[in-house]
Amino acid sequence: MNAYPPIADHGMVGDLQTAALVSSEGTIDWWCTPRFDSPSVFASLLDSERGGYCRLSADLAPERGTTARQLYLADTAVLVTRFMEPDGVGEVADFMAPLNTTSPSDRHRLVRLVRVVRGSVDFSLVCRPRFDYGRAPHTLEQIDEASVVFHGPGTRLYLQTVGPFVLRPDGEDVTARCTLAAGDIAAVVLTSTDDGPPPPVSSLEEIGEELNSCRTFWHTWLRACTYRGRWRDMVNRSAITLKLLTYAPTGAPIAGLTMGLPEQIGGERNWDYRFTWIRDASLSVRAMMDLGFVDEAAAFRRWLRERIAAGGTASGEPLQIMYRIDGDPHLTEEVLDHLEGYAGSAPVRAGNAAADQIQLDIYGEMADALAQTRDMGDIHGWRAFAGVLDWLADHWDRPDEGIWETRGGQQDFTYSRLMTWVAFDRGVHLATTFSRPADIGRWTQVRDTVFKQIVERGWNAKRQAFVQHYATDVLDASLLLIPRVGFLSPTDPAWLSTLDAMDEELVSDSLVYRYNPEASPDGLRGSEGTFNLCSFLYIEALARAGRLHEARYGFDKMLTYANHVGLFAEEIGPSGEQLGNFPQAFTHLALIAAAIALDEQLDAAEGNSTARG
């Protein structure tokens, strides 16, 4: 067993309230339950000794020719890990039945279905849970040879088996072994709960029906997708990933499944992404809307309106940059000193102290998300929204921490001003479209003032480009959103020269850095990889600008950085490795947007070519 498998060496399974990572060796090394942002039960990805894991695999022996392969069943979240050895071929299918409901559940069930398709295979099971990020002890209670319960603080983890597995205590943990021949099937079921025991697993037929039901759910859900373009497999996988990263009871998407995975091995840029950022979530919803998933978009807008109406933020602003998935604004950050971090990348942080930062761009993302609708909600929701824009009209012209949550001091960030312009532009649109009461004259005046300020102060004549903030000549890839939000045409000369400048400073073989931290210190030690969100935004911008050969070549190259099951982390490192939290919603939503833009522009170009012919 690899103590720290590559970050990308995982698939994800989930039930729309929580999710787990399974390595290609058959190890569950990340699972927080009962919610995405709950303390972990398995977290060996952050500490191979103290974190806890559940491994179900064949005896991997490369010297004997044993190999493992992992795949998703097409258009589902059913993950299959296949073990191929000279004596046989076996597989483990991991899945969680979706809980597509507005009711939170404290009971979550992860099924591991084992079968052999050729010859015979020896399987071993080791389950070593470590509750509360490995801080809390647990006790083992053996119910019978086929079932045990691990008692942790406020949570119990039941392990039930069907088939020839015989569970044997190993201290407060458990192990088992069995040999299966071709056609044999067995199962291991993990159930987390703070309530009574789960019902007995009566038969393998029951497990088979549960698997079929799970597959049917995902196939049915994907029927709503309107995308018919050139990259359906990758777009579908990204859509499923975004759905798996959305907390069904509230409709709130999280930014990433994990916490603490490093942007540089051994570095300190290790954050907790299991929360709902207004920015990330709004962009996720835009991607889902563009694919035809209107229910997911409507659910998030309801959650967003509730945040606007609730107020009471930790930052003291009308809206804050991130919340817990239930809307709680308090995200106290703590360092888990007992965990060594992924491959020694400490510190490991739980919670996120950036929650109280001032990042003015969120008001634009909020307004843009609400503008993607034909239902503005009730009058109370409108009054709350209008009140936020009235407040913003008095408070927009301030320095802030910026989109990247740098801890190097506040600046007049151009992207923050750009999204302030979006806030008032969308506000005016909504007020006029829905004939709602608003100070449209003032909103329009502020919108135009922001526009002029960006053009005058965000533009650097020497660089012939829009720059990161007003006091620098450093570029920032967040500004790749300028044409998408409608601030400038994608073929405006000022935008095209900005794109050319980014080519020179931020782009490396189609991979894009967020900014240059050496030229613009961000208050953190170390470096980082290229940012996948920015790479896909760059491809979209190239496509909209008519640079189709570059855009398509860049898109095809980006797809080669996906892992073996089509998932992306936050960043790409110097050797092409995936870095940062995984999987990352930002990356998958930007992939969807880039694919849609490329399809539109390629179709238009092919249509023009046909017309000329």
Side-chain angles (χ1 to χ4, degrees):
M1 176 183 174
N2 190 344
Y4 289 102
I7 290 171
D9 193 31
H10 295 85
M12 174 175 61
V13 297
D15 64 6
L16 310 183
Q17 297 192 20
T18 182
L21 292 180
V22 185
S23 79
S24 66
E25 295 181 344
T27 301
I28 302 173
D29 53 20
W30 182 257
W31 189 22
C32 297
T33 183
R35 304 190 330 184
F36 296 116
D37 56 355
S38 298
S40 63
V41 173
F42 302 127
S44 60
L45 202 55
L46 295 178
D47 193 306
S48 60
E49 295 296 324
R50 303 178 184 87
Y53 62 88
C54 177
R55 183 171 67 247
L56 177 57
S57 70
D59 294 329
L60 292 173
E63 67 277 5
R64 295 179 53 239
T66 303
T67 59
R69 296 287 185 271
Q70 202 171 52
L71 67 147
Y72 278 114
L73 296 185
D75 290 341
T76 77
V78 177
L79 185 69
V80 177
T81 307
R82 307 200 86 193
F83 302 95
M84 291 162 282
E85 56 184 40
D87 298 329
V89 176
E91 63 185 31
V92 177
D94 288 290
F95 66 95
M96 301 178 74
L99 302 175
N100 197 29
T101 172
T102 56
S103 300
S105 176
D106 288 324
R107 185 184 297 267
H108 300 274
R109 174 180 166 106
L110 197 163
V111 179
R112 317 198 72 183
L113 184 62
V114 189
R115 71 183 186 122
V116 170
V117 297
R118 181 178 65 80
S120 65
V121 179
D122 296 327
F123 282 93
S124 62
L125 169 68
V126 180
C127 190
R128 303 186 185 281
R130 297 293 182 264
F131 294 86
D132 190 24
Y133 305 116
R135 292 182 293 195
H138 69 272
T139 58
L140 175 70
E141 176 189 349
Q142 182 144 15
I143 300 170
D144 53 42
E145 288 187 340
S147 57
V148 300
V149 57
F150 303 93
H151 294 275
T155 303
R156 281 169 283 179
L157 181 68
Y158 288 84
L159 189 155
Q160 302 164 291
T161 65
V162 183
F165 284 111
V166 176
L167 300 176
R168 302 189 185 282
D170 179 13
E172 298 301 324
D173 303 319
V174 72
T175 65
R177 296 183 64 86
C178 74
T179 299
L180 299 179
D184 289 345
I185 302 176
V188 175
V189 180
L190 296 166
T191 305
S192 68
T193 181
D194 65 355
D195 201 353
V201 181
S202 59
S203 67
L204 289 168
E205 287 75 17
E206 174 190 335
I207 298 291
E209 291 173 3
E210 193 173 346
L211 172 62
N212 290 334
S213 177
C214 182
R215 294 176 66 182
T216 298
F217 170 86
W218 288 108
H219 290 156
T220 302
W221 181 77
L222 268 179
R223 287 187 197 133
C225 184
T226 57
Y227 180 79
R228 299 293 183 269
R230 296 165 176 81
W231 296 279
R232 286 184 67 177
D233 286 346
M234 287 301 295
V235 168
N236 284 352
R237 179 54 51 201
S238 290
I240 290 172
T241 301
L242 293 179
K243 178 70 170 175
L244 284 171
L245 293 175
T246 300
Y247 186 62
T250 63
I254 58 173
L257 180 61
T258 58
M259 56 179 252
L261 294 183
E263 298 174 14
Q264 178 188 31
I265 302 300
E268 68 168 333
R269 299 165 185 263
N270 317 316
W271 315 111
D272 190 346
Y273 278 8
R274 301 169 301 153
F275 308 116
T276 300
W277 270 254
I278 297 296
R279 175 189 312 113
D280 303 43
S282 296
L283 292 171
S284 292
V285 166
R286 175 65 182 269
M288 296 298 263
M289 277 288 294
D290 289 344
L291 294 178
F293 295 107
V294 296
D295 290 344
E296 285 72 16
F300 172 70
R301 283 194 294 268
R302 285 193 296 271
W303 181 91
L304 183 56
R305 292 190 191 107
E306 290 171 1
R307 303 288 72 72
I308 296 168
T313 62
S315 64
E317 306 277 300
L319 201 62
Q320 69 183 45
I321 66 172
M322 72 181 93
Y323 298 81
R324 292 192 179 277
I325 50 181
D326 59 1
D328 186 343
H330 302 288
L331 287 79
T332 304
E333 183 176 298
E334 61 177 326
V335 174
L336 305 180
D337 289 324
H338 65 288
L339 298 178
E340 72 168 10
Y342 176 84
S345 302
V348 174
R349 298 178 177 92
N352 201 309
D356 61 357
Q357 284 191 357
I358 306 302
Q359 296 179 20
L360 295 171
D361 66 282
I362 62 173
Y363 296 100
E365 280 111 11
M366 172 270 294
D368 194 53
L370 294 179
Q372 311 299 319
T373 181
R374 296 181 179 178
D375 176 15
M376 194 51 227
D378 61 30
I379 189 61
H380 301 291
W382 172 259
R383 285 172 178 164
F385 170 76
V388 170
L389 284 195
D390 288 340
W391 174 90
L392 187 62
D394 293 325
H395 296 87
W396 67 270
D397 197 9
R398 297 177 294 160
D400 67 350
E401 274 86 6
I403 179 177
W404 305 127
E405 295 162 19
T406 59
R407 304 190 181 191
Q410 296 182 342
Q411 297 288 348
D412 292 311
F413 283 100
T414 306
Y415 179 77
S416 298
R417 296 297 192 271
L418 170 70
M419 297 310 293
T420 299
W421 176 88
V422 170
F424 290 108
D425 180 74
R426 304 308 192 261
V428 170
H429 165 76
L430 287 168
T432 54
T433 300
F434 293 97
S435 301
R436 293 293 171 88
D439 194 345
I440 294 177
R442 188 179 186 215
W443 292 0
T444 302
Q445 182 269 325
V446 175
R447 180 197 65 187
D448 295 346
T449 300
V450 176
F451 185 94
K452 293 174 184 177
Q453 187 189 92
I454 293 172
V455 170
E456 293 170 2
R457 300 181 63 194
W459 174 261
N460 185 284
K462 179 181 176 181
R463 301 298 305 273
Q464 285 293 291
F466 290 98
V467 291
Q468 185 180 66
H469 59 79
Y470 295 167
T472 188
D473 63 358
V474 172
L475 303 179
D476 192 312
S478 64
L479 297 177
L480 286 162
L481 281 166
I482 281 176
R484 186 204 276 200
V485 300
F487 186 82
L488 294 178
S489 160
T491 57
D492 187 287
W495 170 245
L496 293 179
S497 65
T498 300
L499 193 57
D500 289 339
M502 289 185 180
D503 284 340
E504 296 179 8
E505 181 169 306
L506 300 180
V507 181
S508 173
D509 190 33
S510 81
L511 299 173
V512 182
Y513 291 93
R514 295 188 290 181
Y515 53 89
N516 181 353
E518 294 181 4
S520 180
D522 57 12
L524 298 166
R525 297 189 305 273
S527 61
E528 61 178 30
T530 55
F531 207 70
N532 291 328
L533 163 73
C534 300
S535 298
F536 281 116
L537 291 179
Y538 173 67
I539 291 163
E540 180 184 357
L542 289 176
R544 299 291 186 197
R547 293 164 59 176
L548 288 179
H549 292 299
E550 293 174 71
R552 185 162 191 174
Y553 182 51
F555 190 77
D556 288 340
K557 281 199 293 186
M558 274 303 297
L559 296 187
T560 69
Y561 291 105
N563 80 344
H564 55 288
V565 290
L567 302 183
F568 282 93
E570 184 178 12
E571 300 183 1
I572 301 297
S575 301
E577 71 277 19
Q578 297 207 35
L579 294 172
N581 286 303
F582 175 90
Q584 177 83 346
F586 249 166
T587 305
H588 288 278
L589 68 89
L591 183 156
I592 291 168
I596 291 173
L598 258 175
D599 277 314
E600 290 176 356
Q601 298 302 312
L602 288 169
D603 288 347
E606 291 170 3
N608 291 336
S609 177
T610 301
R612 287 194 299 270

